[in-house]
Every structure is written in structure tokens, then in C-alpha cells.
Amino acid sequence: VLIMPPWVCPVDGLLQSLWEGGLGQKFGWQEELGTRCVLLKRSDLSTVFDETLMPPVSLYHTVNAFEEDDTVKLQIAAHIGPREHVEKNFRDMYRSNWTDETRCSLKEMTLDISLGRISIRSVGPSDAASFELPTIHPAFIGRTHRHVFTNSAYPSTAGFANTVERLDLQKNLVDRAVFEEGQFAGEPMVIPKESAKDELSTYVCTCV
């Protein structure tokens, strides 16, 4: 699965970056292009789906993708607010201001292969905190899964990600581990136990 938000760098911007640096600042968001999604057949890399989602969605991180009937479900960490606000933070991390608007929520894209159509919807518990760096049990990559672990900010007024959450997509429930004031929660790492038979037979590690 390839997913391409409409960030475009003009040729002159590419050339300028060779002596000015800052290639990332030469890109512009072109709303009218939409977000392009492409499915390739693994055996020979031939294209089986190539459609565009309108209006476009912005993202850095995917969660998982799996088949369901004649569709492919693609779960992503979609930016809640305008991508430009996210990029402004990355230009100067020392002066950045992180809010719900510059973090992500969980979305599921449905790529309908037979109809050549894309749809998108919110998934997971409505009280989940905005987040970054989602992950799942590694044995469920490419398969239907139930749980997503995130590096999140709780409450929403928190200026940085101070929490690890587990989102139950079936029961729409949230479990969270909130760390002490002034402590930053890193990416959750899911480590299956040797005898693991289900998604929760794991340890979840993070750097604090």
C-alpha cells in the first residue's frame, strides 16, 4: 500500500535547496490533488488500485493494513489540524507549541478494489487522547487486529506526549499509563511473550 498526501516540491525549490538547504521548506500543500492511494500486487508489483481521496488527508504514520472481503482496510494516524501547523512546529522545535491540532487521531481508510473507491472514517474510542507513533502487536501486521498502542498527550492541554494508551477497537475502551509531571512518554514498543497466543500476551515498553 502506498499513500501519498499532496505535498509538492517545484523543480526550482529542489535546485535552491542544493545551496540554501531546508528542502522540507520548499514543499507546498496542493489541496486540489487529493491524497493518492496505490495498491501493488506483491508477486510482481503490478498496480491493482490507484485512486485519490478527496478532500486529502495528511499523515506521517500508518498503523496497519489488512484485507476484508473485496476491500483493503488501511488505518492511519491522521493529523487533526492543518498540516502547515505541524510543519511550523518542525521548523523550530525549541519554539514549537504542540496541541490536539498538531497531533493525530485514528482513521480507517477503506479501499474498495472492485468499485475503485476510497472512503475514510474515525475508528476507536471517542475519548482517546490525540497521539503520535501508533503501534500494534507485530504478529498482527497485515491481519485484522483489535488493539492499538499510542504515544499520547493526556489531558489534551498537555504540552507534550506524557502518556501511553491502549485503544480497544472492538469495545471502544481506553487504558492509559500517565507518567509524572515533566516526564515524556516515548514510542510504545510491543514485545510479545514467548508463549503469546493473543494480542495482549505482551509487554509494552517505552522510554521515559
Side-chain angles (χ1 to χ4, degrees), residues 30-86:
Q30 296 192 11
E31 184 90 2
E32 69 279 5
L33 296 180
T35 295
R36 183 181 174 193
C37 294
V38 178
L39 289 180
L40 302 179
K41 188 184 295 185
R42 185 166 56 183
S43 59
D44 60 7
L45 298 185
S46 60
T47 300
V48 297
F49 184 92
D50 188 348
E51 299 294 338
T52 299
L53 177 69
M54 295 292 292
V57 63
S58 171
L59 73 151
Y60 285 147
H61 306 290
T62 57
V63 180
N64 195 19
F66 52 89
E67 281 188 286
E68 187 175 283
D69 300 323
D70 199 29
T71 69
V72 169
K73 303 289 188 179
L74 172 62
Q75 291 182 359
I76 63 172
H79 290 126
I80 295 170
R83 176 69 175 265
E84 292 85 350
H85 294 183
V86 180

Side-chain angles (χ1 to χ4, degrees), residues 63-140:
V63 180
N64 195 19
F66 52 89
E67 281 188 286
E68 187 175 283
D69 300 323
D70 199 29
T71 69
V72 169
K73 303 289 188 179
L74 172 62
Q75 291 182 359
I76 63 172
H79 290 126
I80 295 170
R83 176 69 175 265
E84 292 85 350
H85 294 183
V86 180
E87 295 302 324
K88 181 180 178 181
N89 275 346
F90 279 115
R91 290 191 188 106
D92 189 344
M93 292 291 284
Y94 290 104
R95 294 184 175 86
S96 63
N97 180 30
W98 295 91
T99 64
D100 281 349
E101 188 178 55
T102 53
R103 292 187 287 260
C104 301
S105 64
L106 186 61
K107 302 284 187 181
E108 183 175 88
M109 303 173 69
T110 298
L111 313 183
D112 192 315
I113 298 171
S114 61
L115 297 178
R117 188 169 59 195
I118 307 175
S119 59
I120 189 169
R121 67 186 182 101
S122 296
V123 290
S126 59
D127 56 341
S130 59
F131 66 85
E132 291 286 350
L133 305 174
T135 190
I136 65 170
H137 190 301
F140 286 81

